[in-house]
Every structure is written in structure tokens, then in C-alpha cells.
């Protein structure tokens, strides 16, 4: 494990979530959320971001997936924030266009310490469910992750028709943008990338 790693355990009356992340990993993952398609998305996120990621969630999926997906977003955000530490020497900003067949997605973000989410799912509506995954939960995950990681996050599905492709492109583009933003800039050395000296 590198120095930029963290483990978070979060337990509520609805979910029991464990997350570990290594920002300087090799894209290895162990994912068990109880929601097959979401497992697939987090596996892709780990691989494309080159983050080593473990996620284990025991949630009330007999109700639906909302609590599990949102609480995983919260816990991943907390782990990401902890792993970044004081954010010294990071690139800070990251943007990535990701094409997937007929779909094109843009993710642009700032590891700013000022959490915000703009999510534009495009003009074409998604199907309600992909397997046991509610497509509305993509926005809930992004919001929970961004707000607990301290990230200004903009996500726009520019176009596309296949809902699987659209959600998958979002997770892959997020991973690539985060990979860019968390990379060390040798010119910065140990400096926090802000004129305020704090992020």
C-alpha cells in the first residue's frame, strides 16, 4: 500500500459499509455491494482510475438499492478525502471525455474542498432499471461521493441511447478524471495547489 490510502467503516440501521482505497494502486478491486450492475461499475471505476478498491456492503436491498448505493458513495467519498490528506502536490483539476459506442460523456472536476454536483443526464431518458440497479441512483452516488470527498463535480451525458452505455461511461470518465486530478505534479513539489494554501 502507498501512503495515500484509507479505510472507512460506516454502519447505520440500513447499511454496513466497509471501503478501503489506495490512490496509487494498480486497479485491483474486491467489490460486493449486493447489486450486480453496481459491482460492475465500481470494478470499472477501480480499473480505469488505477485505484485499488475494496467495497463490502450489507444493506437493506430487500427494500431497494437506494440506501446501499448512497451509503457506499458517502463512505467512498470519506475514504477518498482521507487518502488525499492535505492534497499537497496534486494536479487538482481533471476532465475527461469518454466515448462508449453511441454514447459520449464528459466529467470535469476540481478537488477543491468545496463540494458541488452538476449532473446532466441528457435529453434521452434512461430505462428505470439495469438488472437490479435503479438508474436514478447514479446521481445519488455521485452526489454522496462528491460531497463527502470535497469535490466540485460536473457530469454531462452529451448523447447516447443505451442506458447501460451511459451509466458505464459516467463511471469510467469519473475514474479517469479523478486519476488525472490526483496525480502528483512534480513542479509543485510539496505545495498545496491553491493560492490560499489550503484545499
Amino acid at each position: 500500500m502507498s501512503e495515500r490510502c484509507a479505510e472507512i467503516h460506516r454502519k447505520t440501521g440500513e447499511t454496513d459499509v466497509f471501503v478501503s482505497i489506495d490512490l496509487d494502486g494498480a486497479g485491483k478491486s474486491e467489490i460486493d455491494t449486493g447489486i450486480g450492475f453496481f459491482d460492475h461499475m465500481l470494478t470499472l471505476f477501480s480499473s480505469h482510475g488505477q485505484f485499488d478498491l475494496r467495497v463490502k456492503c450489507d444493506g437493506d436491498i430487500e427494500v431497494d438499492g437506494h440506501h446501499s448505493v448512497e451509503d457506499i458513495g458517502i463512505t467512498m467519498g470519506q475514504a477518498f478525502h482521507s487518502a488525499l490528506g492535505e492534497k499537497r502536490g496534486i494536479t487538482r483539476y481533471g476532465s475527461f471525455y469518454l466515448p462508449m459506442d453511441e454514447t459520449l460523456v464528459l466529467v470535469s472536476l476540481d478537488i477543491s474542498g468545496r463540494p458541488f454536483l452538476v449532473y446532466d443526464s441528457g435529453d434521452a431518458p434512461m430505462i428505470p432499471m439495469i438488472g437490479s440497479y435503479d438508474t436514478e441512483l447514479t446521481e445519488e452516488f455521485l452526489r454522496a461521493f462528491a460531497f463527502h470527498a470535497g469535490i466540485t463535480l460536473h457530469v454531462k451525458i452529451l448523447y447516447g441511447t443505451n442506458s447501460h452505455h451511459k451509466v458505464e461511461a459516467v463511471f469510467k470518465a469519473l475514474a479517469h478524471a479523478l486519476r488525472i486530478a490526483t496525480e502528483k505534479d512534480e513542479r509543485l513539489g510539496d505545495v498545496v495547489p491553491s493560492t490560499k494554501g489550503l484545499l
Side-chain angles (χ1 to χ4, degrees):
M1 271 194 171
S2 73
E3 293 182 357
R4 299 197 304 168
C5 56
E7 293 184 354
I8 301 289
H9 180 213
R10 182 177 188 272
K11 187 172 183 178
T12 73
E14 298 166 339
T15 62
D16 187 348
V17 182
F18 171 81
V19 169
S20 72
I21 192 166
D22 183 346
L23 301 181
D24 301 307
K28 298 176 182 177
S29 61
E30 296 178 25
I31 313 294
D32 182 7
T33 70
I35 303 168
F37 182 77
F38 192 44
D39 287 355
H40 181 44
M41 294 302 99
L42 295 183
T43 300
L44 293 170
F45 173 85
S46 168
S47 178
H48 284 261
Q50 288 293 285
F51 309 128
D52 288 347
L53 179 67
R54 290 176 57 207
V55 177
K56 171 66 177 173
C57 177
D58 292 316
D60 56 355
I61 55 174
E62 72 280 359
V63 177
D64 70 5
H66 192 288
H67 299 145
S68 292
V69 173
E70 183 177 27
D71 287 3
I72 289 167
I74 291 170
T75 312
M76 281 181 59
Q78 291 172 339
F80 190 87
H81 182 268
S82 178
L84 275 173
E86 295 181 345
K87 309 179 186 74
R88 294 183 180 275
I90 65 168
T91 302
R92 177 177 167 177
Y93 296 95
S95 296
F96 202 84
Y97 283 96
L98 195 133
M100 185 167 182
D101 296 351
E102 87 299 340
T103 294
L104 183 64
V105 166
L106 167 65
V107 170
S108 190
L109 58 88
D110 175 12
I111 302 175
S112 61
R114 299 186 307 276
F116 203 87
L117 173 67
V118 177
Y119 175 69
D120 183 346
S121 60
D123 296 330
M126 291 198 200
I127 59 174
M129 303 294 292
I130 304 173
S132 59
Y133 177 81
D134 181 345
T135 55
E136 287 186 346
L137 296 181
T138 303
E139 182 174 5
E140 297 304 319
F141 170 81
L142 294 170
R143 181 178 295 107
F145 177 77
F147 272 71
H148 288 269
I151 294 172
T152 302
L153 176 60
H154 291 250
V155 177
K156 183 174 179 62
I157 299 174
L158 295 164
Y159 47 81
T161 55
N162 184 287
S163 297
H164 186 133
H165 293 167
K166 289 192 279 189
V167 176
E168 183 167 330
V170 166
F171 276 87
K172 287 179 176 178
L174 174 63
H176 280 279
L178 285 170
R179 181 178 177 181
I180 294 166
T182 56
E183 285 181 346
K184 292 295 187 83
D185 185 335
E186 293 181 359
R187 292 172 297 174
L188 285 172
D190 201 36
V191 175
V192 175
S194 170
T195 54
K196 293 180 285 191
L198 180 70
L199 286 174

